[in-house]
Amino acid sequence: FRFMVKKINLLPLLLLLTISGFSQQHHAPKREFRGVWIASVANIDWPSKPGLASEEQQQEFLTILKMHKANGMNAVVVQIRPAADAFYPSPHEPWSAWLTGKSGRPPQPYYDPLLFMIEESHKQGLEFHAWFNPYRGIVNVDTARIDSASVAFQHREWFVKYDKNLYFNPGLPEARKHVTNVILDVVNRYNVDGIHFDDYFYPYKVAKLNFPDSTTFLKYGNEFTSIDDWRRNNVNQLIKNISDSIRKVKPFVQFGISPFGVWRNQDKDPAGSATQAGQTCFDDLYADVREWMKEGWIDYVTPQIYWSIGFEKANYNVIARWWNDNSFGKRVYIGQATYRINGNNPDTRWKEANQLPNQLRLNRSLKNIHGSVYFSSKSFIPNPLGINDSLRSNFYRHPALSPTWKDSTFANHYPLSFTTDAKSIILQWKETDSYNDLSAHARYIIYRFNAGEKIDLSNPKNILAVVADTNPKATKTHRYKDNS
């Protein structure tokens, strides 16, 4: 036997094991982001309803992780701040009513859901990306009871009402500072692998209803002749400030954005896509995500391409290729619409079993697309048109490491030993480096090869397991059954 343990900072740890009896299988991408959105707003995915006892919440989350791990995922994107509230003890905003049933009420018995979710995700070898909605304040403000702990109660002047909801006014420096402080608090206190924003910046436009920020524009928009340009600059400032702040505190934490699928239509801008989307990132949500990628303010982008291949006004094939061609060196992970599979919608292409598989094949054919994130977690439960089976037996048959996104890495080597019992082989190794912030984000990748087989680290069929560094001081152990 030959053994080698290799540690790579900013990338996973690597264990190389040569042993007999592992069959050859097809070659898939070794590095590919495979994520799932777990939405908490309105209890879409988790928890199943407000006010569950803590143990029930935890068991539900563990069941979710088990399903996605079995499907071959390597990341979860969990909504921890759906509307100026928190799924963790926050000094800035109250506990979420979607978690506990009442705004400001902590879980009973008390625990820290965010700490629990991060630790359990890492135990499964899954990255944890903390998903924030930056500007949503109060949903259905006419019927909602605004608790005294709410930011909307304490600083009503930071908010504007649009349609049925309260939103932070993006034009106010105080509002942008508050949002930045909320995010930095999580970055500083928790071992998240990424910070993630969805597509809600300025809200989606409602017909014949203007966003009420004209007074703010008069106060702060003197250098702009267009209120649209001023709004985009407001969002630009937020994105850049958060990006700079994260990199100053923990440069190894990723910052990603999941925008609406169409940046701009080509009839508005020759740089846009050949689409006819009714609303777009740039023109309606004032989110110039292409600029953020070009300037390097974000580390990855996950456009929500929730249309089918062949859909006339917004063809998945056209849009995916546009993002591939406009990546500016940033990682592109496509937002996939599993919720549409076999659903009740006018586009009957979603009733075809090959629709999503063909989208994944297209993604892998494009050099700048490095994975997918699926919306949303609960859409996998009924296994629509056999998508779970397709992932497990075909696309995600072998594990994948997350794509690299930093240039500087270095490696160390450690001794690896193994023993056997009646049921399994037990691998053991010991961490010899001192613990640091990066250790919480480390992964050990165990490779397994046939005796005499050439060591090929590029082929993911050789990956036996992905193991998290959940206890840096302890001897690491991995047990597996050998059926050869």
Side-chain angles (χ1 to χ4, degrees):
F1 302 104
R2 289 188 295 157
F3 304 104
M4 180 175 72
V5 180
K6 186 178 181 183
K7 180 180 181 180
I8 302 180
N9 285 329
L10 297 177
L11 294 174
L13 309 181
L14 303 181
L15 309 184
L16 300 188
L17 166 65
T18 303
I19 195 167
S20 62
F22 196 58
S23 61
Q24 293 288 336
Q25 296 179 15
H26 73 276
H27 207 317
K30 178 186 174 181
R31 291 193 175 273
E32 183 175 56
F33 197 84
R34 303 171 180 176
V36 178
W37 280 294
I38 301 175
S40 60
V41 63
N43 300 104
I44 290 175
D45 292 314
W46 180 83
S48 60
K49 61 181 179 180
L52 292 178
S54 297
E55 184 177 353
E56 290 181 272
Q57 293 174 1
Q58 293 170 359
Q59 286 303 315
E60 284 190 353
F61 191 77
L62 292 175
T63 298
I64 289 172
L65 291 185
K66 183 178 179 181
M67 173 178 63
H68 296 312
K69 180 69 174 179
N71 280 349
M73 303 301 172
N74 56 23
V76 288
V77 184
V78 184
Q79 191 173 36
I80 66 166
R81 194 243 191 189
D85 54 1
F87 275 61
Y88 58 95
S90 169
H92 302 290
E93 295 176 332
W95 287 99
S96 175
W98 286 306
L99 179 72
T100 66
K102 183 180 183 300
S103 177
R105 176 189 294 163
Q108 298 296 330
Y110 182 84
Y111 79 112
D112 183 339
L114 180 52
L115 181 62
F116 171 81
M117 292 189 292
I118 292 170
E119 290 181 346
E120 293 302 323
S121 298
H122 286 171
K123 286 178 185 177
Q124 295 291 336
L126 301 167
E127 288 189 4
F128 187 97
H129 291 237
W131 168 14
F132 296 78
N133 185 291
Y135 289 134
R136 186 163 56 208
I138 300 291
V139 176
N140 293 326
V141 66
D142 293 334
T143 58
R145 180 182 179 276
I146 303 178
D147 187 84
S148 60
S150 169
V151 185
F153 182 91
Q154 298 172 355
H155 293 283
R156 182 62 180 83
E157 72 278 8
W158 292 356
F159 294 82
V160 294
K161 182 182 178 183
Y162 186 68
D163 196 21
K164 299 177 181 180
N165 304 326
L166 281 187
Y167 297 92
F168 283 94
N169 185 343
L172 293 177
E174 299 90 344
R176 295 195 298 269
K177 182 178 180 181
H178 174 83
V179 173
T180 302
N181 288 340
V182 165
I183 291 160
L184 284 182
D185 171 57
V186 169
V187 172
N188 276 302
R189 292 197 291 129
Y190 294 93
N191 291 322
V192 296
D193 298 290
I195 297 297
H196 185 95
F197 282 2
D198 54 26
D199 52 320
Y200 293 96
F201 292 96
Y202 279 81
Y204 284 88
K205 290 182 177 178
V206 177
K208 300 180 181 179
L209 189 62
N210 294 322
F211 190 78
D213 60 349
S214 57
T215 301
T216 313
F217 176 55
L218 290 175
K219 183 176 181 179
Y220 292 102
N222 293 333
E223 61 181 288
F224 295 90
T225 57
S226 163
I227 193 171
D228 288 356
D229 290 341
W230 172 72
R231 287 170 175 165
R232 275 185 287 273
N233 184 66
N234 293 333
V235 182
N236 285 352
Q237 288 186 65
L238 177 75
I239 297 300
K240 187 177 187 307
N241 288 343
I242 290 174
S243 176
D244 290 345
S245 299
I246 293 173
R247 289 170 182 177
K248 183 177 181 180
V249 175
K250 290 183 180 178
F252 48 86
V253 172
Q254 303 168 62
F255 183 29
I257 304 288
S258 172
F260 181 72
V262 175
W263 172 71
R264 292 195 90 182
N265 293 319
Q266 208 168 63
D267 63 353
K268 289 284 187 70
D269 189 326
S273 54
T275 50
Q276 301 171 50
Q279 298 198 44
T280 66
C281 295
F282 184 94
D283 295 294
D284 300 284
L285 306 180
Y286 306 104
D288 191 0
V289 64
R290 187 174 183 268
E291 180 73 7
W292 308 339
M293 297 164 70
K294 187 177 180 179
E295 293 297 327
W297 297 340
I298 59 177
D299 300 304
Y300 70 86
V301 65
T302 309
Q304 298 173 26
I305 311 181
Y306 292 165
W307 304 279
S308 65
I309 295 174
F311 184 66
E312 291 79 5
K313 292 188 176 182
N315 189 328
Y316 183 100
N317 182 30
V318 170
I319 302 170
R321 293 179 185 278
W322 185 91
W323 286 101
N324 175 75
D325 296 340
N326 288 270
S327 67
F328 296 100
K330 301 299 174 289
R331 296 305 186 203
V332 179
Y333 313 138
I334 301 300
Q336 314 286 166
T338 43
Y339 76 97
R340 288 187 180 269
I341 298 175
N342 206 26
N344 184 20
N345 60 70
D347 185 356
T348 59
R349 298 176 186 86
W350 287 105
K351 294 187 178 296
E352 300 169 1
N354 281 332
Q355 179 58 229
L356 186 58
N358 284 340
Q359 293 182 9
L360 299 182
R361 292 185 185 99
L362 174 61
N363 293 352
R364 284 183 173 176
S365 74
L366 300 173
K367 67 177 182 177
N368 296 323
I369 292 179
H370 301 276
S372 298
V373 184
Y374 298 84
F375 188 85
S376 68
S377 178
K378 72 177 183 181
S379 64
F380 287 92
I381 295 174
N383 191 19
L385 299 181
I387 186 60
N388 295 349
D389 307 296
S390 181
L391 294 178
R392 294 180 188 193
S393 64
N394 184 7
F395 292 97
Y396 297 168
R397 183 175 183 176
H398 303 298
L401 312 184
S402 291
T404 58
W405 59 282
K406 291 287 187 183
D407 294 332
S408 59
T409 63
F410 60 91
N412 295 320
H413 295 78
Y414 305 90
L416 174 68
S417 63
F418 80 96
T419 57
T420 62
D421 59 22
K423 296 182 179 180
S424 57
I425 294 175
I426 305 162
L427 304 176
Q428 288 188 316
W429 63 98
K430 188 172 180 62
E431 178 62 68
T432 57
D433 279 355
S434 59
Y435 183 82
N436 56 45
D437 285 340
L438 280 177
S439 300
H441 302 268
R443 305 288 187 274
Y444 297 91
I445 313 303
I446 305 175
Y447 293 87
R448 183 172 186 263
F449 299 90
N450 295 324
E453 181 182 356
K454 181 181 179 181
I455 302 297
D456 180 8
L457 299 185
S458 67
N459 193 337
K461 70 95 176 174
N462 296 319
I463 297 176
L464 178 67
V466 179
V467 183
D469 191 10
T470 56
N471 189 346
K473 296 182 180 180
T475 296
K476 312 296 185 269
T477 300
H478 179 72
R479 180 189 296 266
Y480 76 99
K481 294 181 179 180
D482 184 37
N483 297 320
S484 61

